[in-house]
Amino acid sequence: MATCDCDNILPQGSVQEKHYDNCRQVWAERQPAFLPLLKNEDGTIRLINKNVLDLDKDVLYHFSFTNKSIDLQAEFGDVKFVCTGGTASRLKEFALYMAKRLGIPADENIKDWTKISNRYSMFKVGPILAFNHGIGIPSMTIAIQEAIKMLYYAKVKNPIFFRIGTCGGLAVEAGSVVISEWGLNGLLKKSYDLPVLGNIYSVPSILDKRLAQEIQLVASESNNNFKVYLGGTMGTDDFYRGQGRLDGPFCNHTEEQKNAFLRKLSDMGVRNIEMEATAFSALMTEAGIRGAIVCVPFLDRLHGDQVTTPKEQLVEWENNPMKVVGDYIVKYIENQKQ
Ligand code: R2B
Ligand code: URA
C-alpha cells in the first residue's frame, strides 16, 4: 500500500482538501482510466514513452536546444517552481520580480535560454523556471510538453507548475484574481479532447484542489487590495465567437443567446474564461505534476465584450497573479528552511 508523500506547505486542516492530487496514496486508490506518467521514488519525472527513452538525442525543437546541447541537469536540476504565461515580457518580469523577492542577483540582461528559437523565451532564477507559452492551447501544449521532457532530463524533483494569465471574469470584478479548480471546454465538458490518429483522446481537466486552496489561503493572509476567488475556468479555442463575444468580424448569435450562455456558465461555477485551462490541467494530470492557474480578469463578461480599461491599468492588474504566486513560492521556500 502506497503511503502519502504530500509535502504540505500549510498544516493539515487549514484547507479542506487533505492530499495533493499527485500524492502516491491518492493515485494508488484512484486508479485513473488513463495512464499517468507517475513519478519515481525520488520525485523525478518518470517518462513512460519508450520512443523518447530510446532516442540518442532528443531535439526540443521549439526551445531550440537538445538534451545534449545543454547540460540540463547541471543548469536546471534545482528547479522547483515552473511558471508560464502568455507573453515573454511578462514572464521575464516575473523572473526578475521573484529574483528580487528571493534576494537573487538578476537584472534586465538575464539570460534567455530559448532566445534563438524566436518562439518562446525562458528564464531561470534560483529554483524558478519561467517561460512564455503564447496564446491558446496548441502554442501552450507545445511549450509545456517540451518543458516536461526538459525537466525529465534535468532530473527535477516534484516540480510545481503555475500558469499566470489574463481572462474575462464572470460575476467577479476586473483586477481581482481567480484560481482555477477545473477547466471546462467549449462543449461544457471538463476535459481536454485532442484528435489523435482520427480518434478523440480525452483527458480530465481537473486541477489540484489542495494546491488551489493553499494558494488562496496564503493570498488571504497577505495584505492584498484585490479579492482572490476559487472557481471553474472555461478554456476556449477562440477569443471572439468561442467566448460568446458579439464584437468579432463574424457573429451568428444574438445578445440574448450570449447572455443566457454566460449566465449558464456562471451557474455551473465558472468564474472566468481564457484560452488554455483545459489543456493545462489535463497535461498536469497526465504527467502527475501539481499545477495551478492564477488569472486576473480584465473585465466582467456579464457586462460587455470589449476590454476598454486603459493599458496602464491592465499592466498594473497583471501584477496581481504574480503577487499571489510569488507569495506562495516565498511561503513554500520559508517552510523548507524550518
Ligand atoms: C488570455 O488572454 C489571451 C487572449 O487575449 C489568452 O492567452 C488567454 O488565455
Ligand atoms: N483573455 C481572454 O481569453 N478573454 C478575455 O475576455 C480577456 C482576456
Side-chain angles (χ1 to χ4, degrees), residues 163 166-172 176-186 188-191 205-209 212-213 216 228-236 261-278 281 292-297 300-301:
R163 178 180 123 66
T166 61
C167 60
L170 285 179
V172 294
S176 60
V177 164
V178 178
I179 305 169
S180 309
E181 293 180 298
W182 36 266
L184 191 74
N185 70 16
L188 308 188
K189 268 180 71 190
K190 285 181 190 164
S191 66
S205 52
I206 309 294
L207 285 148
D208 192 296
K209 280 203 189 61
Q213 290 169 10
Q216 191 194 30
V228 180
Y229 299 93
L230 278 178
T233 299
M234 181 182 225
T236 67
F261 182 69
L262 294 182
R263 273 197 306 272
K264 180 175 175 174
L265 291 180
S266 183
D267 291 345
M268 289 172 74
V270 175
R271 294 255 199 199
N272 60 344
I273 308 177
E274 42 82 289
M275 296 181 63
E276 295 87 10
T278 50
S281 15
I293 305 177
V294 182
C295 286
V296 55
D300 185 342
R301 288 299 315 288

Side-chain angles (χ1 to χ4, degrees), residues 281-322:
S281 15
L283 288 181
M284 293 302 108
T285 305
E286 197 168 12
I289 293 175
R290 218 172 285 169
I293 305 177
V294 182
C295 286
V296 55
F298 274 176
L299 74 170
D300 185 342
R301 288 299 315 288
L302 297 178
H303 301 306
D305 292 342
Q306 296 238 311
V307 182
T308 53
T309 303
K311 185 68 180 167
E312 308 82 72
Q313 176 67 79
L314 298 178
V315 169
E316 207 180 307
W317 281 341
E318 278 191 71
N319 292 332
N320 296 352
M322 292 209 283

Side-chain angles (χ1 to χ4, degrees), residues 90-294:
R90 180 56 53 167
L91 271 292
K92 180 175 181 179
E93 207 182 305
F94 180 76
L96 296 179
Y97 167 71
M98 289 311 299
K100 206 164 169 189
R101 288 198 66 169
L102 299 175
I104 298 169
D107 61 27
E108 270 303 303
N109 301 318
I110 186 172
K111 177 170 180 166
D112 177 352
W113 287 87
T114 56
K115 192 171 187 335
I116 59 163
S117 76
N118 278 326
R119 292 272 185 199
Y120 303 106
S121 287
M122 180 183 282
F123 311 95
K124 180 178 183 294
V125 280
I128 295 160
L129 183 72
F131 62 87
N132 75 304
H133 63 55
I135 288 187
I137 289 174
S139 177
M140 185 202 64
T141 56
I142 289 170
I144 290 191
Q145 288 178 91
E146 291 186 10
I148 289 173
K149 292 206 289 178
M150 168 185 173
L151 298 178
Y152 160 75
Y153 294 122
K155 297 196 177 355
V156 161
K157 290 182 183 158
N158 289 311
I160 306 176
F161 275 58
F162 302 91
R163 178 180 123 66
I164 50 172
T166 61
C167 60
L170 285 179
V172 294
E173 60 282 12
S176 60
V177 164
V178 178
I179 305 169
S180 309
E181 293 180 298
W182 36 266
L184 191 74
N185 70 16
L187 296 173
L188 308 188
K189 268 180 71 190
K190 285 181 190 164
S191 66
Y192 167 50
D193 295 350
L194 180 73
V196 180
L197 306 185
N199 294 301
I200 292 289
Y201 181 70
S202 185
V203 182
S205 52
I206 309 294
L207 285 148
D208 192 296
K209 280 203 189 61
R210 184 174 170 100
L211 176 61
Q213 290 169 10
E214 283 186 346
I215 296 171
Q216 191 194 30
L217 190 64
V218 172
S220 75
E221 287 167 353
S222 191
N223 220 359
N224 292 323
N225 58 355
F226 52 86
K227 282 199 187 149
V228 180
Y229 299 93
L230 278 178
T233 299
M234 181 182 225
T236 67
D237 287 332
D238 178 40
F239 182 83
Y240 290 99
R241 284 190 292 200
Q243 297 189 3
R245 281 188 159 80
L246 303 166
D247 62 342
F250 317 107
C251 180
N252 353 58
H253 53 265
T254 64
E255 184 161 12
E256 291 67 39
Q257 287 169 324
K258 174 190 98 169
N259 289 335
F261 182 69
L262 294 182
R263 273 197 306 272
K264 180 175 175 174
L265 291 180
S266 183
D267 291 345
M268 289 172 74
V270 175
R271 294 255 199 199
N272 60 344
I273 308 177
E274 42 82 289
M275 296 181 63
E276 295 87 10
T278 50
F280 180 91
S281 15
L283 288 181
M284 293 302 108
T285 305
E286 197 168 12
I289 293 175
R290 218 172 285 169
I293 305 177
V294 182

Side-chain angles (χ1 to χ4, degrees), residues 20-71:
Y20 296 110
D21 274 354
N22 65 353
C23 163
R24 250 182 258 285
Q25 187 186 329
V26 170
W27 253 342
E29 286 164 9
R30 191 176 47 183
Q31 294 189 334
F34 59 90
L35 195 61
L37 294 184
L38 294 169
K39 55 188 174 185
N40 294 311
E41 277 300 313
D42 63 357
T44 52
I45 293 169
R46 183 187 295 164
L47 212 60
I48 53 172
N49 179 5
K50 197 170 170 316
N51 303 306
V52 172
L53 303 181
D54 286 349
L55 287 176
D56 232 17
K57 177 176 85 178
D58 189 1
V59 179
L60 305 184
Y61 164 58
H62 302 84
F63 284 169
S64 287
F65 56 69
T66 78
N67 62 328
K68 299 284 164 70
S69 65
I70 300 178
D71 184 344

